[in-house]
Amino acid sequence: MPNAVGPEQWYACTVHELGVSHLFEPFIDVFYRCNIWHVRGRDRSLLFDSGLGVVSLAQHFPWLRHMPLLAIASHTHFDHIGNLHEFADRACHPAEAHILDAPTRDATLATRYAKLDMFERLPPGGFDADAYRVIPAPATRLLEHGDCVDLGDRRFEVLHVPGHSPGSIALWESETVLLLSCDAVYDGLLIYDAYHSNPEDYIETMHKLRELPVRVVHGGHYPSFGRDRFRELIDDYVRGRRSPGCPSETLARP
Ligand SMILES: [Zn+2]
């Protein structure tokens, strides 16, 4: 079993252009590691997803509380919502709000995926897979397709992108052509076989997303990419090349 790390080592942060910071948990295997995106605005900031929840995100990054912050769940799989309860202002799509209210192990996919083999090093205190569960964090705001997340000097449009899950949302900033794409599109194996996935919705989502004139895409997992790769990933998925059935890629991830 891998050794546990100290709490001060659990997270890392990389600063990108356009006031975007990437927070992540480096000792979680890359297949399971959620990208946590922080976008700074003039009047407030947004946090898009919050990680596994085994170490306090808010304590590790106290600057998260230096200005008003809206913590948004891109969807409700456990690897994305574990620390959501640490923030007072929380948002998600209505289709998954009931899961934030009562995040059972089955509903959040923890039963299926939250295992010891997620870790390259264990979190402080180790990890009890059977005991792990997400703390309830009811949404204080519901975000529908077309809604605006206004940070004062910049505005993100909410895109409902069902398929991976029914309430998946992406955030689109047209002024900077920046997309936070959640688990709808990232540069890895895309998952459409969760209990509430819908492959037909996923294809429709892909067709809509492909029309966006993106310049930078920050996904829910794996490294960021640009427009050409974005369209290539979508085209591969639509052609069936990036599915759990692909023989060279057998690991499914939430
Ligand atoms: Zn997911």
Side-chain angles (χ1 to χ4, degrees), residues 37-209:
W37 297 105
H38 179 268
V39 183
R40 187 177 300 276
R42 184 191 64 208
D43 299 337
R44 62 174 170 165
S45 299
L46 71 83
L47 187 73
F48 198 48
D49 290 332
S50 59
L52 186 61
V54 293
V55 175
S56 169
L57 186 70
Q59 285 179 28
H60 191 97
F61 297 109
W63 50 264
L64 286 172
R65 287 180 165 151
H66 286 177
M67 69 190 304
L69 179 143
L70 179 64
I72 302 172
S74 70
H75 63 302
T76 56
H77 294 159
F78 71 95
D79 50 327
H80 296 261
I81 59 168
N83 289 297
L84 192 63
H85 66 95
E86 297 191 314
F87 303 96
D89 296 326
R90 304 179 292 260
C92 75
H93 188 272
E96 294 185 39
H98 63 289
I99 301 178
L100 290 186
D101 292 343
T104 66
R105 286 171 49 80
D106 287 345
T108 61
L109 298 187
T111 308
R112 180 175 172 186
Y113 292 105
K115 306 278 172 60
L116 269 179
D117 59 10
M118 290 192 298
F119 300 101
E120 293 171 358
R121 302 267 312 266
L122 287 175
F127 183 77
D128 182 342
D130 294 330
Y132 171 80
R133 50 195 20 85
V134 173
I135 295 173
T140 58
R141 178 181 173 189
L142 297 177
L143 294 174
E144 305 261 15
H145 183 80
D147 281 354
C148 175
V149 175
D150 190 345
L151 305 184
D153 57 344
R154 53 196 303 184
R155 299 157 71 87
F156 284 82
E157 180 184 350
V158 174
L159 306 179
H160 184 212
V161 290
H164 176 73
S165 74
S168 287
I169 51 176
L171 296 178
W172 167 242
E173 189 177 42
S174 58
E175 189 163 322
T176 58
V177 283
L178 166 68
L179 179 68
L180 305 179
S181 61
C182 76
D183 281 8
V185 185
Y186 51 72
D187 198 350
L189 177 63
L190 299 173
I191 305 304
Y192 64 77
D193 69 341
Y195 72 95
H196 56 179
S197 297
N198 184 319
E200 288 162 15
D201 287 350
Y202 213 149
I203 294 288
E204 195 176 327
T205 284
M206 288 300 204
H207 286 306
K208 288 178 180 169
L209 287 175

